[in-house]
Amino acid sequence: MKPTASLQKQLRKGWFNFYRKEMPWPEVVFKDLFFFFKNLKLFILNGFRKKVIYCYPEFPSRNATLYKIATHLGYAITNKAPSRYDLLAHWEDKTIRRKDPFLEKRATKHKILNGEATNISKDLVDLAHHKAFGYATVVDPNTYHGKCVKKSNENAAHDGVVVECPVQHHEKGVIYQKLINNLTEDGYAEDIRVPVIGDEIPHVYLKYKPLDSRFANFRETEKDKPTQIKKTHDILSDSEIHSILHLAKAMHLDFGEMDALRHRDDGKLYVVDVNNTPTGPSHLEKKELRLAISNLSASFKKQFL
């Protein structure tokens, strides 16, 4: 079974996987050897049976939540078409994914994880959010009065800046979102990261950023306030859980994460970002990290395997 589309033509072909085109050959050889021995170990541990998750077209990094779940459950991951596989996932780190004959053909016979989650642009997230929650995250910058956040419509740009509205010109390629007051008493901006796995939210994470880094791709250090893992119902109401799952269905998101903010002024929850190639939390204690992966894996197995 070989890919019939062009999504992997720009990747570097190894023996076991496709890799980034710019990856040096020594690194390709090293990675192939690593996955050979890892997959051999899993094959033996699984009683000489192959358990495979096939990701197409890209290979998840070792930081990806899917990679961690697969390892925990004893599944090998590959993005080079195997003779058989237990699950096919559309894994492509793009805001808008192109149609692909290879996936379209297989979608007629088998469920593809995130196979229809082809657009996670922020304007589309807001439209789905309005339907799910009954209120929007985006404002009209030409008529709105007050501060708002201007950010790229692309996913994971981390380029948000606070601007005063109304503005004279609505820039192309950006959206203007409400400025959410998500500050804690000790002055941190609190993000609520919500993993969505099928019809389940196994837990949530509370992530904290200094005020001057609230919109950045912030990397925690030991001196920063650590990420916390929380039981879902300790942070989200039944109504909010229902709305988040409604939003996920509207975005065709089978597996991913959402970034949400709790507005201290009105208590409402606002989902400001959706990610279909999640990397999960950072800087959890080892015990909490094991708990997180265990929770995620249990939900993933129940929902998809």
Side-chain angles (χ1 to χ4, degrees):
M1 185 189 302
K2 295 182 179 180
T4 57
S6 60
L7 292 185
Q8 289 185 323
K9 285 185 177 180
Q10 300 304 313
L11 300 178
R12 172 152 284 184
K13 185 178 180 182
W15 187 259
F16 292 102
N17 298 301
F18 289 89
Y19 303 101
R20 292 178 289 107
K21 187 175 183 180
E22 66 273 14
M23 183 178 291
W25 276 113
E27 187 176 352
V28 170
V29 173
F30 173 81
K31 286 184 176 293
D32 264 348
L33 286 173
F34 171 83
F35 288 114
F36 169 77
F37 287 110
K38 179 182 180 182
N39 295 346
L40 178 61
K41 178 182 177 181
L42 291 174
F43 179 66
I44 294 171
L45 292 175
N46 289 328
F48 300 96
R49 174 178 172 264
K50 283 186 178 181
K51 295 168 63 176
V52 181
I53 296 177
Y54 175 25
C55 293
Y56 178 88
E58 298 173 4
F59 188 88
S61 74
R62 281 188 271 182
N63 291 325
T65 306
L66 181 58
Y67 183 95
K68 296 171 185 176
I69 289 173
T71 299
H72 183 83
L73 294 176
Y75 283 77
I77 284 188
T78 183
N79 68 337
K80 191 174 182 182
S83 57
R84 62 161 300 278
Y85 50 84
D86 299 272
L87 180 69
L88 172 58
H90 188 176
W91 193 270
E92 188 178 9
D93 190 14
K94 292 184 181 297
T95 301
I96 300 176
R97 296 171 171 178
R98 295 165 289 172
K99 289 186 177 181
D100 182 67
F102 176 73
L103 291 175
E104 289 179 339
K105 181 178 179 180
R106 277 146 189 81
T108 62
K109 299 180 180 180
H110 304 287
K111 166 72 176 177
I112 299 176
L113 190 72
N114 285 347
E116 297 180 53
T118 56
N119 188 338
I120 54 171
S121 54
K122 290 182 176 62
D123 56 358
L124 191 65
V125 172
D126 182 70
L127 288 173
H129 186 283
H130 192 275
K131 292 179 182 178
F133 284 85
Y135 51 89
T137 68
V138 170
V139 300
D140 181 347
N142 299 124
T143 59
Y144 183 77
H145 288 265
K147 291 182 178 1
C148 73
V149 181
K150 183 183 74 172
K151 60 174 69 171
S152 171
N153 195 35
E154 294 286 316
N155 185 51
H158 305 290
D159 59 352
V161 293
V162 177
V163 298
E164 190 73 33
C165 291
V167 298
Q168 290 185 341
H169 303 288
H170 187 157
E171 293 183 31
K172 291 184 178 180
V174 304
I175 62 166
Y176 297 80
Q177 286 183 325
K178 292 180 180 179
L179 178 61
I180 308 299
N181 175 18
N182 64 327
L183 300 183
T184 64
E185 292 182 357
D186 52 358
Y188 282 87
E190 180 186 79
D191 292 0
I192 305 171
R193 180 158 292 181
V194 184
V196 175
I197 301 181
D199 296 324
E200 295 184 5
I201 301 173
H203 55 250
V204 300
Y205 310 102
L206 299 184
K207 296 176 65 66
Y208 299 95
K209 300 177 181 179
L211 185 58
D212 59 359
S213 301
R214 67 190 300 187
F215 306 121
N217 188 17
F218 176 68
R219 302 295 183 185
E220 297 169 8
T221 64
E222 290 184 2
K223 68 179 182 179
D224 294 308
K225 190 171 183 178
T227 298
Q228 301 175 28
I229 181 172
K230 295 289 186 180
K231 293 180 179 179
T232 305
H233 283 92
D234 288 348
I235 305 300
L236 304 174
S237 68
D238 288 340
S239 175
E240 289 168 343
I241 293 171
H242 175 79
S243 295
I244 288 171
L245 294 177
H246 184 181
L247 171 58
K249 283 183 171 56
M251 298 293 296
H252 305 288
L253 184 76
D254 304 314
F255 170 76
E257 289 178 343
M258 299 184 186
D259 285 331
L261 309 176
R262 175 80 65 191
H263 202 337
R264 305 297 186 210
D265 297 347
D266 60 18
K268 290 182 178 179
L269 189 76
Y270 292 82
V271 175
V272 296
D273 203 5
V274 170
N275 189 351
N276 53 15
T277 53
T279 56
S282 58
H283 287 80
L284 283 175
E285 299 283 339
K286 286 186 177 181
K287 182 179 179 181
E288 288 187 320
L289 181 59
R290 287 195 295 268
L291 174 62
I293 299 304
S294 178
N295 288 347
L296 295 168
S297 299
S299 290
F300 193 90
K301 183 177 180 180
K302 176 183 175 184
Q303 295 285 320
F304 305 125
L305 297 173

